[in-house]
Amino acid sequence: MKMDAHASLLEKLLPIAHHAGNAIMNIYGGNIDVRTKSDASPVTEADELAEALILPALQALDRGIPIVAEEQAAAGNTPKTGDRFWLVDPLDGTKEFINRNGEFTVNIALIENGVPVLGVVLAPALKRLFAGGLGLGAFVEENGERKAIQCRPVPAAGLTVVASRSHGDEAALARFLAGAKVASQTSAGSSLKLCLLAAGEADVYPRLGPTMEWDIAAGDAVLRAAGGRLITLDNKPMVYGKPNFANPHFSAWGLRARDRF
């Protein structure tokens, strides 16, 4: 797909994400009914409603692109993907949603040949939308304004580390950071961690636990567009479209942060 076509498609994803985000916020303001999936993870009406809104909207853009979405996958409905497909997490950070801390997101990514080439991450409670694409750069929309974002060089004071709020392993994180010059460490939920790197608000996000492709693809697309990278622990770029969509452990880095580690 040509770059101008990617740019046009990215713009069409924004209202889709906002529509899902508005539906999520309607539920967020009332009682939240929580159920448990077969993998012991929580699911709510908001997850299912957001996905039910996103899928037909993506199909309307191009019915030829398969869609891999979290709740459909949990129900055993996973299409053959080929070289080009969507990855959707309709509500990433369900635990954050249930705990009402605002750190949950709507995630939509387009994968081409194993690479996330477009991504949108909307944090509806925080009223921040991050988006970006291969060769297009990245941006954030908030307070009615859009501004370009990019990863920052590592400050002289050292790395700002962002870690998972709900899935942290402090001992593994300490081993990973041993010998690094760390200025501060913070926690965040969902794919916001990748977006903080993209926006130059943090430098490294080690994820030393299980994730699925739909958890990170949109944030990875934004991060790559902003000049960062997400790599496996053996220093290889993350590839999407793996047989079971499960990711190995990884680390995500801002601009040249890995070189300073």
Side-chain angles (χ1 to χ4, degrees), residues 148-209:
I149 55 174
Q150 61 181 14
C151 299
R152 70 184 184 186
V154 179
L159 299 166
T160 293
V161 179
V162 61
S164 176
R165 186 177 302 283
S166 298
H167 304 279
D169 184 333
E170 292 185 8
L173 182 62
R175 290 193 296 271
F176 181 88
L177 295 172
K181 185 178 182 181
V182 176
S184 63
Q185 181 177 327
T186 187
S187 296
S190 69
S191 52
L192 281 171
K193 294 178 284 293
L194 297 170
C195 295
L196 295 179
L197 269 63
E201 299 173 23
D203 304 295
V204 58
Y205 162 39
R207 180 55 188 245
L208 309 173

XYZ file of all heavy atoms in Angstrom, residues 148-209:
431
model
N 2.581 16.560 16.641
C 3.511 15.475 16.325
C 4.279 15.081 17.575
O 4.575 15.915 18.436
C 4.470 15.920 15.231
N 4.587 13.801 17.688
C 5.388 13.312 18.800
C 6.543 12.486 18.265
O 6.490 11.956 17.154
C 4.564 12.456 19.786
C 3.869 11.288 19.064
C 3.557 13.312 20.533
C 3.162 10.311 20.000
N 7.590 12.392 19.058
C 8.704 11.512 18.717
C 9.433 11.116 19.993
O 9.336 11.791 21.024
C 9.672 12.186 17.753
C 10.338 13.442 18.266
C 11.271 14.055 17.232
O 11.246 13.712 16.064
N 12.094 14.977 17.681
N 10.132 10.012 19.914
C 10.911 9.556 21.053
C 12.027 10.553 21.347
O 12.500 11.265 20.468
C 11.508 8.188 20.760
S 10.292 6.897 20.447
N 12.449 10.585 22.585
C 13.495 11.518 22.977
C 14.828 10.800 23.152
O 14.867 9.592 23.457
C 13.124 12.184 24.298
C 13.172 11.227 25.488
C 12.710 11.884 26.772
N 12.842 10.982 27.925
C 12.402 11.264 29.140
N 11.766 12.400 29.370
N 12.582 10.402 30.136
N 15.935 11.519 22.996
C 17.219 10.960 23.412
C 17.213 10.761 24.925
O 16.476 11.454 25.645
C 18.232 12.044 23.004
C 17.516 12.893 22.015
C 16.070 12.848 22.387
N 18.010 9.855 25.428
C 18.034 9.589 26.865
C 18.581 10.813 27.601
O 19.655 11.315 27.264
C 18.904 8.362 27.179
C 18.928 8.108 28.684
C 18.383 7.138 26.456
N 17.860 11.322 28.590
C 18.365 12.460 29.363
C 19.656 12.107 30.098
O 19.910 10.935 30.413
C 17.236 12.747 30.357
C 16.022 12.127 29.752
C 16.505 10.924 29.007
N 20.449 13.120 30.385
C 21.711 12.890 31.087
C 21.483 12.265 32.455
O 22.338 11.520 32.957
C 22.461 14.216 31.226
N 20.342 12.543 33.051
C 20.047 12.001 34.379
C 19.810 10.497 34.360
O 19.883 9.844 35.401
C 18.832 12.705 34.972
N 19.518 9.933 33.184
C 19.310 8.500 33.073
C 17.948 8.150 32.537
O 17.163 9.020 32.135
N 17.666 6.871 32.514
C 16.440 6.344 31.925
C 15.223 6.571 32.811
O 15.298 6.427 34.030
C 16.574 4.833 31.699
C 17.667 4.324 30.756
C 17.852 2.825 30.953
C 17.301 4.636 29.317
N 14.113 6.894 32.185
C 12.815 6.782 32.846
C 12.211 5.457 32.401
O 11.974 5.243 31.213
C 11.886 7.943 32.466
O 12.420 9.156 33.006
C 10.486 7.712 33.029
N 12.008 4.580 33.351
C 11.506 3.238 33.088
C 10.009 3.222 33.366
O 9.554 3.719 34.399
C 12.215 2.198 33.982
C 11.670 0.796 33.706
C 13.719 2.257 33.773
N 9.245 2.655 32.450
C 7.814 2.491 32.671
C 7.511 0.998 32.727
O 8.001 0.224 31.899
C 6.981 3.209 31.588
C 7.268 2.668 30.207
C 5.494 3.125 31.886
N 6.774 0.600 33.736
C 6.499 -0.818 33.967
C 4.995 -1.038 34.032
O 4.208 -0.108 34.188
C 7.164 -1.281 35.265
N 4.615 -2.284 33.918
C 3.198 -2.652 33.953
C 2.616 -2.429 35.336
O 3.238 -2.768 36.345
C 3.038 -4.115 33.545
O 1.704 -4.518 33.670
N 1.419 -1.855 35.386
C 0.759 -1.640 36.668
C 0.155 -2.928 37.222
O 0.179 -3.170 38.421
C -0.334 -0.579 36.517
C -0.973 -0.195 37.842
C -1.994 0.916 37.684
N -1.452 2.133 37.104
C -0.709 3.014 37.760
N -0.373 2.782 39.019
N -0.263 4.101 37.171
N -0.362 -3.769 36.347
C -1.099 -4.954 36.810
C -0.339 -6.261 36.637
O -0.779 -7.286 37.129
C -2.441 -5.048 36.051
O -3.247 -3.925 36.303
N 0.766 -6.238 35.909
C 1.439 -7.504 35.591
C 2.941 -7.406 35.860
O 3.745 -7.967 35.131
C 1.204 -7.881 34.128
C -0.245 -7.956 33.759
N -1.022 -9.055 34.028
C -1.047 -7.056 33.152
C -2.251 -8.836 33.592
N -2.298 -7.632 33.063
N 3.332 -6.708 36.898
C 4.747 -6.482 37.151
C 5.438 -7.668 37.807
O 4.827 -8.433 38.545
N 6.719 -7.830 37.538
C 7.585 -8.802 38.194
C 8.811 -8.015 38.630
O 9.736 -7.798 37.844
C 7.954 -9.927 37.233
C 8.792 -11.019 37.905
O 9.491 -10.709 38.885
O 8.763 -12.171 37.437
N 8.808 -7.553 39.870
C 9.845 -6.636 40.322
C 11.230 -7.268 40.291
O 12.215 -6.600 39.968
C 9.511 -6.138 41.728
C 8.277 -5.241 41.770
C 8.038 -4.660 43.146
O 8.917 -4.837 44.031
O 6.985 -4.026 43.342
N 11.322 -8.554 40.622
C 12.636 -9.209 40.627
C 13.193 -9.308 39.215
O 14.375 -9.022 38.979
C 12.518 -10.589 41.261
N 12.344 -9.697 38.250
C 12.795 -9.798 36.863
C 13.167 -8.428 36.321
O 14.154 -8.284 35.573
C 11.712 -10.436 36.002
N 12.406 -7.407 36.673
C 12.707 -6.050 36.223
C 14.043 -5.580 36.783
O 14.848 -4.970 36.064
C 11.586 -5.104 36.655
C 11.737 -3.643 36.223
C 11.753 -3.527 34.707
C 10.612 -2.801 36.818
N 14.298 -5.870 38.040
C 15.570 -5.473 38.651
C 16.745 -6.146 37.954
O 17.780 -5.511 37.721
C 15.559 -5.818 40.147
N 16.592 -7.418 37.602
C 17.675 -8.115 36.891
C 17.890 -7.493 35.511
O 19.018 -7.325 35.066
C 17.345 -9.604 36.760
C 17.403 -10.370 38.068
C 17.371 -11.878 37.826
N 16.112 -12.302 37.229
C 15.039 -12.661 37.927
N 15.057 -12.614 39.254
N 13.942 -13.062 37.309
N 16.808 -7.167 34.842
C 16.907 -6.575 33.499
C 17.630 -5.236 33.543
O 18.434 -4.926 32.658
C 15.507 -6.396 32.917
C 15.490 -5.823 31.532
C 15.577 -6.659 30.425
C 15.400 -4.463 31.329
C 15.572 -6.134 29.134
C 15.386 -3.923 30.045
C 15.476 -4.770 28.949
N 17.376 -4.442 34.567
C 17.929 -3.090 34.650
C 19.279 -3.026 35.369
O 19.846 -1.942 35.506
C 16.942 -2.176 35.374
C 15.606 -1.925 34.659
C 14.656 -1.179 35.576
C 15.840 -1.159 33.360
N 19.778 -4.165 35.803
C 21.035 -4.169 36.551
C 22.141 -3.471 35.758
O 22.389 -3.791 34.594
C 21.449 -5.607 36.878
N 22.772 -2.498 36.374
C 23.862 -1.772 35.735
C 23.435 -0.564 34.930
O 24.277 0.225 34.488
N 22.139 -0.397 34.721
C 21.645 0.744 33.948
C 21.545 1.982 34.838
O 21.332 1.887 36.045
C 20.285 0.432 33.353
N 21.692 3.134 34.230
C 21.514 4.394 34.935
C 20.047 4.777 34.852
O 19.563 5.194 33.802
C 22.389 5.487 34.321
C 22.340 6.808 35.078
C 23.267 7.838 34.438
C 23.253 9.146 35.219
N 24.135 10.162 34.582
N 19.331 4.590 35.946
C 17.891 4.821 35.983
C 17.606 6.074 36.792
O 17.990 6.172 37.956
C 17.152 3.617 36.586
C 15.671 3.912 36.718
C 17.378 2.373 35.724
N 16.920 7.028 36.161
C 16.561 8.264 36.849
C 15.268 8.112 37.625
O 15.123 8.642 38.728
C 16.448 9.411 35.851
N 14.311 7.384 37.040
C 13.022 7.214 37.708
C 12.306 6.021 37.122
O 12.630 5.543 36.028
C 12.155 8.470 37.555
O 11.850 8.704 36.197
N 11.327 5.543 37.860
C 10.497 4.428 37.401
C 9.051 4.738 37.705
O 8.714 5.239 38.773
C 10.911 3.126 38.093
C 10.119 1.912 37.654
C 10.594 0.630 38.310
O 11.786 0.468 38.584
N 9.669 -0.277 38.582
N 8.188 4.474 36.745
C 6.772 4.726 36.904
C 5.981 3.536 36.391
O 6.539 2.657 35.722
C 6.351 6.010 36.153
O 4.994 6.323 36.464
C 6.500 5.840 34.650
N 4.715 3.476 36.713
C 3.854 2.394 36.249
C 2.717 2.962 35.428
O 2.290 4.100 35.630
C 3.279 1.607 37.437
O 4.312 0.975 38.167
N 2.240 2.182 34.487
C 1.094 2.576 33.671
C 0.388 1.328 33.196
O 0.986 0.250 33.119
C 1.529 3.433 32.483
N -0.881 1.461 32.869
C -1.651 0.336 32.397
C -1.713 0.289 30.886
O -1.446 1.261 30.196
N -2.029 -0.885 30.388
C -2.335 -1.118 28.976
C -1.225 -0.650 28.054
O -0.066 -0.505 28.424
C -3.679 -0.465 28.614
O -3.591 0.933 28.632
N -1.589 -0.421 26.786
C -0.599 -0.036 25.774
C -0.143 1.406 25.912
O 0.668 1.876 25.123
C -1.193 -0.249 24.379
O -2.443 0.397 24.279
N -0.638 2.101 26.924
C -0.159 3.453 27.183
C 1.342 3.488 27.406
O 1.994 4.499 27.108
C -0.866 4.042 28.415
C -2.278 4.566 28.202
C -2.910 4.909 29.537
C -2.256 5.776 27.283
N 1.904 2.414 27.920
C 3.338 2.390 28.185
C 4.134 2.631 26.908
O 5.109 3.386 26.890
C 3.726 1.053 28.828
C 3.118 0.863 30.206
C 3.477 -0.481 30.804
C 2.695 -1.613 30.198
N 1.250 -1.571 30.496
N 3.730 1.990 25.815
C 4.419 2.184 24.538
C 4.224 3.601 24.029
O 5.136 4.198 23.444
C 3.901 1.172 23.515
C 4.173 -0.291 23.857
C 3.405 -1.206 22.909
C 5.666 -0.595 23.797
N 3.054 4.155 24.271
C 2.778 5.516 23.810
C 3.565 6.550 24.607
O 3.924 7.608 24.066
C 1.282 5.798 23.880
S 0.314 4.766 22.760
N 3.831 6.284 25.880
C 4.654 7.193 26.666
C 6.067 7.264 26.102
O 6.691 8.333 26.088
C 4.689 6.752 28.130
C 3.361 6.818 28.883
C 3.537 6.321 30.315
C 2.791 8.226 28.874
N 6.578 6.140 25.631
C 7.882 6.151 24.969
C 7.811 6.967 23.676
O 8.692 7.781 23.392
C 8.340 4.726 24.663
C 9.189 4.004 25.703
C 8.422 3.804 27.006
C 9.650 2.645 25.163
N 6.752 6.743 22.902
C 6.599 7.440 21.627
C 6.502 8.943 21.820
O 6.986 9.721 20.984
C 5.366 6.923 20.892
N 5.885 9.366 22.923
C 5.690 10.790 23.181
C 6.881 11.439 23.879
O 6.835 12.626 24.197
C 4.431 10.989 24.019
N 7.944 10.677 24.121
C 9.110 11.238 24.787
C 8.909 11.469 26.271
O 9.574 12.306 26.871
N 8.005 10.706 26.868
C 7.733 10.840 28.300
C 8.389 9.731 29.118
O 8.321 9.745 30.350
C 6.224 10.858 28.540
C 5.531 12.028 27.848
C 4.008 11.971 27.934
O 3.488 11.309 28.860
O 3.347 12.583 27.079
N 8.993 8.769 28.449
C 9.722 7.674 29.098
C 10.708 7.119 28.079
O 10.688 7.497 26.902
C 8.764 6.595 29.594
N 11.574 6.196 28.539
C 12.667 5.734 27.683
C 12.683 4.240 27.431
O 13.126 3.796 26.371
C 14.016 6.148 28.298
C 14.105 7.633 28.531
O 14.085 8.385 27.539
O 14.150 8.056 29.705
N 12.219 3.446 28.388
C 12.272 2.000 28.202
C 11.101 1.346 28.925
O 10.706 1.778 30.009
C 13.615 1.408 28.697
C 13.872 1.715 30.165
C 13.667 -0.101 28.456
N 10.551 0.325 28.288
C 9.475 -0.489 28.868
C 9.849 -1.947 28.708
O 9.726 -2.506 27.623
C 8.156 -0.167 28.182
C 7.062 -1.201 28.377
C 6.859 -1.862 29.583
C 6.190 -1.502 27.319
C 5.852 -2.802 29.730
C 5.172 -2.438 27.459
C 5.015 -3.091 28.661
O 4.012 -4.022 28.808
N 10.358 -2.602 29.756
C 10.613 -4.044 29.688
C 9.331 -4.804 30.011
O 8.682 -4.528 31.009
C 11.669 -4.271 30.786
C 12.036 -2.898 31.296
C 10.872 -2.021 30.993
N 8.988 -5.743 29.145
C 7.818 -6.585 29.432
C 8.297 -8.022 29.583
O 8.551 -8.717 28.591
C 6.769 -6.473 28.334
C 5.517 -7.339 28.598
C 4.882 -7.022 29.964
N 3.820 -7.974 30.288
C 2.541 -7.652 30.405
N 2.153 -6.407 30.204
N 1.655 -8.562 30.731
N 8.424 -8.449 30.818
C 9.008 -9.747 31.134
C 7.930 -10.709 31.598
O 8.045 -11.391 32.612
C 10.100 -9.564 32.193
C 11.129 -8.480 31.828
C 12.081 -8.222 32.979
C 11.882 -8.859 30.562
N 6.858 -10.734 30.826
C 5.721 -11.585 31.103
C 4.919 -11.781 29.840
O 5.229 -11.208 28.793
